[in-house]
Amino acid sequence: CELVLCARREERLRELAAELPTVCHVIAADVSDEEECRLLYSAVRGDDLEIVINNAGFGLFGVFTEMDMDKQLDIIDLNDRALTAMCHMSIPYMAAGSRIYNMGSMSSWQPVPYINVYGASKAYVLSFSRALGVELEKQGIRVMAVCPGWIKTEFFSHAIHDNTVNYFNRYYGPEQVVAKALKDMKRGKDASVLGFPERMQVRLGKL
């Protein structure tokens, strides 16, 4: 098993690769840039892809009309356009038994004021992933949206610029999210929601 690690910061990728007990290929690229996205797949073209994880994304907290428009459009470019492109370019290199994990959010399930563009972008991820999974079922390729609550990552250092959102009532670690996603993929689910309170919130949102 070999891994292809892709993100913007090459130094951080190489630090991660050094910690992993497998062969890693490091590719520094900004997947929100369509040209760089294509270059990434030029580098791995011809290789079989067993697992694709679309984890890149960011959001901004604040009042929609008071935030920079271009930055909010950047959210859509990374969270939606790049994810869609990565799926489209990956599938030709995937066979039966391959899996795609797309990072959604608890925000995928309902409108979220003061982080509305981010929430809407993650609603796209959930809907897209579920529909794509149905289309790829005959090929034996599984697709799942991973929709956790608040996770302890660098997301918050980039997202929070004011006090419009302050209900960070429960945090989970990345390891918990991964363990739950792997378990739910084996169970054949099309969406993974970590935590009993979060699953109840999803159900209430549906009502």
Side-chain angles (χ1 to χ4, degrees):
C1 176
E2 298 183 5
L3 298 177
V4 176
L5 306 176
C6 176
R8 293 177 301 169
R9 291 174 289 183
E10 183 174 356
E11 183 178 343
R12 293 287 299 277
L13 287 176
R14 295 200 178 280
E15 290 174 1
L16 174 61
E19 298 174 3
L20 299 175
T22 188
V23 176
C24 295
H25 304 279
V26 171
I27 299 177
D30 180 356
V31 294
S32 65
D33 184 309
E34 184 176 341
E35 189 60 35
E36 291 195 32
C37 197
R38 293 182 184 278
L39 289 174
L40 163 64
Y41 269 90
S42 294
V44 299
R45 185 172 295 161
D47 295 333
D48 294 331
L49 299 176
E50 295 181 16
I51 299 175
V52 171
I53 303 172
N54 288 308
N55 190 48
F58 82 101
L60 294 173
F61 294 156
V63 178
F64 173 76
T65 54
E66 296 177 0
M67 292 189 291
D68 181 75
M69 183 184 73
D70 288 338
K71 289 183 179 179
Q72 295 189 77
L73 293 176
D74 287 343
I75 294 173
I76 299 170
D77 285 342
L78 181 58
N79 296 4
D80 295 338
R81 293 186 77 253
L83 179 143
T84 303
M86 295 285 279
C87 286
H88 196 276
M89 288 188 285
S90 298
I91 293 168
Y93 304 104
M94 307 184 86
S98 296
R99 289 149 285 170
I100 298 175
Y101 295 83
N102 288 330
M103 182 55 67
S105 167
M106 276 298 294
S107 302
S108 300
W109 303 95
Q110 68 277 310
V112 187
Y114 305 110
I115 187 172
N116 54 44
V117 173
Y118 173 83
S121 75
K122 292 303 184 178
Y124 172 91
V125 172
L126 176 62
S127 180
F128 170 75
S129 299
R130 284 178 147 175
L132 183 62
V134 173
E135 293 185 22
L136 297 178
E137 188 173 0
K138 291 182 179 179
Q139 295 175 235
I141 300 173
R142 292 285 320 287
V143 184
M144 188 175 71
V146 182
C147 301
W150 304 121
I151 312 173
K152 295 178 182 178
T153 67
E154 294 180 359
F155 173 90
F156 292 97
S157 63
H158 297 289
I160 299 177
H161 299 290
D162 56 27
N163 61 355
T164 51
V165 179
N166 52 25
Y167 49 86
F168 310 114
N169 56 334
R170 187 180 297 102
Y171 287 98
Y172 294 100
E175 298 84 359
Q176 293 172 286
V177 177
V178 171
K180 176 64 172 171
L182 292 174
K183 185 181 297 185
D184 286 340
M185 179 65 84
K186 288 182 179 179
R187 290 175 175 174
K189 294 188 176 183
D190 60 5
S192 176
V193 180
L194 173 64
F196 178 78
E198 284 71 21
R199 290 194 291 275
M200 291 302 99
Q201 181 179 332
V202 169
R203 292 186 180 181
L204 287 173
K206 291 180 179 179
L207 292 175

